[in-house]
Amino acid sequence: MARIVIRIPTPLRPLVEGRSGVEVEAGSAREALARLLESNERLRAQLVGDDGELRSYVNVYVGKDNLRDLVEDPELEDGAELSIVPSIAGGGDVGLTADELKRYSRHLLIPEVGLEGQERLKQARVLLIGAGGLGSPLALYLTAAGVGTIGVVDHDEVDLTNLQRQILYDTASVGTSKLRSAAARLRAMNPEVQIRTFETRLESSNALEILDGWDVVADGSDNFPTRYLVNDAAVLLGVPTVYGAIFRFEGQVSVFGAAEGPCYRCLFREPPPPELAPSCAEAGVFGVLPGIVGTIQATEAIKLILGQGRPLVGRLLLIDALRMTFRELSIRRDPDCPVCGESPTITELIDYEEFCGVRPEPDAAASSVPEIDVLELRRWLEQGRAFQLIDVREPYEWQICNLEPQGARLTPMDRLPSLLGELDSGRPLVIYCRTGVRSAHVVDALRAAGFEAVNLKGGIVAWAEAFDPEMPVY
Amino acid sequence: MSLPVCRLEIGSRMHADLIAAVAEGYPREACGILLGRLDGPRRIVEAFRPAPNRWAGRDDRFLVDPESLRGALEEEGSGGAAVLGFYHSHPDAPAVPSTCDRTLAWPWYVHVIVEVAEGRSVRARAWEFHCGAGGFEERPIALT
């Protein structure tokens, strides 16, 4: 047995009655350490972990040798010294404040997130395309989860018809800028998150600039031109896109443009013809559906950031809320894909409205058929002119609002051909629908059949705006 | 354990030298040891000693070279300058303790953190870790 002095660093001296060194009797270095700790439980708790090993933030030196590096337990002679040396480390990583540690504590408890994952989220930048039905749950959950920087692209104002599903907004927001409302709501929810707004229409001329520098893009757009634009820009920039789409009760989610994964064009090389691609305004949408799809998109975005789990890369999730089924289709990267394939032909952004056939010109009927505006219609009514006012919308639309007091009759457009014989060919026909698009096609067909028909420009919506603000419009 | 509220005192010239020195390692974190003497709650810095950063694989971490620290503590034990604390830089991050700093912190020592933005030192702040509260408290730096 030798008498050995163990040097104690200042922070630990309060645990050994303020002494700078403690003398123990032992034959070897590890034995000396054991002697010191066996009589001092508080010191042991500081220096030794549950596994019985020295904690990582402390070193014990025998002379100039770190005990960790020694395989043997060196024998010591009388008067030998051991030194307990703190290991001083840290780092200027993103870090979480005390408030953030508390705010995200339920995340920190999950091994797949934990402190490191939460810091990754804080460092992450996610860009949302659209602040509508999908963008609402995306923005809310990503903000709540502590994604450090969230960008939102939108150029709309909040409309009363949005509130059935766009849960970012409330009734008081109607008529105001979506982004201004959204930013205020998100900042109030989590002031730690940076919200960047892009109050603009995403176009070929600005998409690369706006999408550049984000870790993940979440596409909540509601039309094909934007969807192809986002896909192509993100592929060109190498940013993965979490795609989501909704139609009535059905939704789709996937992750495109991830390393080795397919892109949107691998799945849908070309868009459907515009008449088969109705918008929410035309086709309607079940209000909860974007909540389901958007939260799945948020989940995928967070998984991509964390690098955890199995993302929806190469898988298209099909959701049917009416049957409540979730199906999955495998999708492969297409080597012939024009944007992400082996010899891409799309190397810069193109004209996506033209590509999707939704330029104003294709709807030639709307611009070429004879039309009158609502002022003219009112004049005709006041003058008592002989004409027939025909509403070609669907019965459920007629129930919401109509021009029956002005003499309109309902003849839905799909029933019109069989009812042509009932029309009076001696009196001009004024045809209207909701906004004047469908009715223009009807006017076109009626004129081809020999009727004197004109379109009501702007439809019943224009009438309501001009003369009947109390009329319910949709 | 009770901790007296300490105050860090450092000559303004030395303070300027210290914050200039940490910028040299940018964008990697720089670190070193603060040496001096104790006078009640006063921690009077008489020298700072840069130490190699031994944390491998990441620029935003530091580990004070253990051998340098062992040497400094040995000198202290033989009547040399006391180890008062440590300094390190936060490249492009504020001079406040990070989560990592908190996780690995030692109490009693003063931890000076220097924010280095785009290669230039911005400011230094001093912190002391409280075991009980599990957090850092800022300590004043008195320039003398």
Side-chain angles (χ1 to χ4, degrees), chain A residues 303-325:
Chain A
K303 280 163 58 189
L304 288 174
I305 294 164
L306 297 176
Q308 291 288 348
R310 185 171 161 241
L312 277 171
V313 175
R315 298 187 289 152
L316 179 69
L317 184 66
L318 302 173
I319 300 152
D320 182 338
L322 213 48
R323 293 186 180 82
M324 200 47 87
T325 57

Side-chain angles (χ1 to χ4, degrees), chain B:
Chain B
M1 92 187 127
S2 66
L3 291 164
V5 174
C6 70
R7 186 176 84 142
L8 195 71
E9 295 181 15
I10 184 168
S12 49
R13 180 71 179 271
M14 190 182 297
H15 180 262
D17 289 347
L18 188 155
I19 65 171
V22 299
E24 285 174 16
Y26 181 89
R28 191 164 158 69
E29 288 200 8
C31 58
I33 305 167
L34 299 172
L35 301 166
R37 60 192 167 86
L38 296 158
D39 181 9
R42 298 165 66 203
R43 310 269 177 98
I44 303 155
V45 181
E46 294 172 329
F48 67 91
R49 184 182 295 172
N53 177 356
R54 297 293 184 199
W55 195 297
R58 282 182 72 152
D59 284 346
D60 61 350
R61 292 280 190 277
F62 78 94
L63 169 64
V64 171
D65 175 45
E67 176 54 29
S68 301
L69 180 52
R70 189 203 63 76
L73 289 172
E74 189 175 71
E75 289 168 31
E76 178 189 71
S78 332
V83 173
L84 303 178
F86 305 90
Y87 65 88
H88 70 279
S89 62
H90 275 185
D92 298 319
V96 296
S98 65
T99 314
C100 183
D101 292 335
R102 202 174 292 120
T103 309
L104 300 172
W106 273 81
W108 190 84
Y109 293 120
V110 175
H111 298 267
V112 170
I113 303 177
V114 184
E115 176 181 354
V116 181
E118 293 173 355
R120 292 178 54 193
S121 294
V122 178
R123 64 186 299 207
R125 296 170 72 176
W127 303 86
E128 188 178 352
F129 185 76
H130 254 292
C131 278
F136 274 98
E137 288 181 9
E138 188 162 12
R139 300 289 178 240
I141 298 178
L143 298 182
T144 55

Side-chain angles (χ1 to χ4, degrees), chain A residues 247-329:
Chain A
F247 176 78
R248 294 189 171 166
F249 286 91
E250 293 166 35
Q252 301 180 348
V253 192
S254 192
V255 173
F256 293 122
E260 308 301 317
C263 80
Y264 184 66
R265 278 182 191 269
C266 298
L267 178 64
F268 301 116
R269 179 69 67 90
E270 286 178 347
E275 57 271 26
L276 295 182
S279 66
C280 286
E282 292 157 355
V285 63
F286 180 54
V288 182
L289 182 70
I292 300 172
V293 172
T295 45
I296 294 175
Q297 286 180 278
T299 307
E300 290 302 296
I302 290 173
K303 280 163 58 189
L304 288 174
I305 294 164
L306 297 176
Q308 291 288 348
R310 185 171 161 241
L312 277 171
V313 175
R315 298 187 289 152
L316 179 69
L317 184 66
L318 302 173
I319 300 152
D320 182 338
L322 213 48
R323 293 186 180 82
M324 200 47 87
T325 57
F326 290 70
R327 290 190 301 132
E328 200 181 296
L329 297 181

Side-chain angles (χ1 to χ4, degrees), chain A residues 156-164 166 168-178 180-182 473:
Chain A
D156 272 343
E157 289 186 348
V158 181
D159 188 86
L160 191 60
T161 61
N162 298 154
L163 300 186
Q164 159 255 24
Q166 301 184 12
L168 259 178
Y169 312 109
D170 51 41
T171 309
S173 326
V174 170
T176 66
S177 147
K178 275 192 174 178
R180 211 168 306 153
S181 288
V473 287

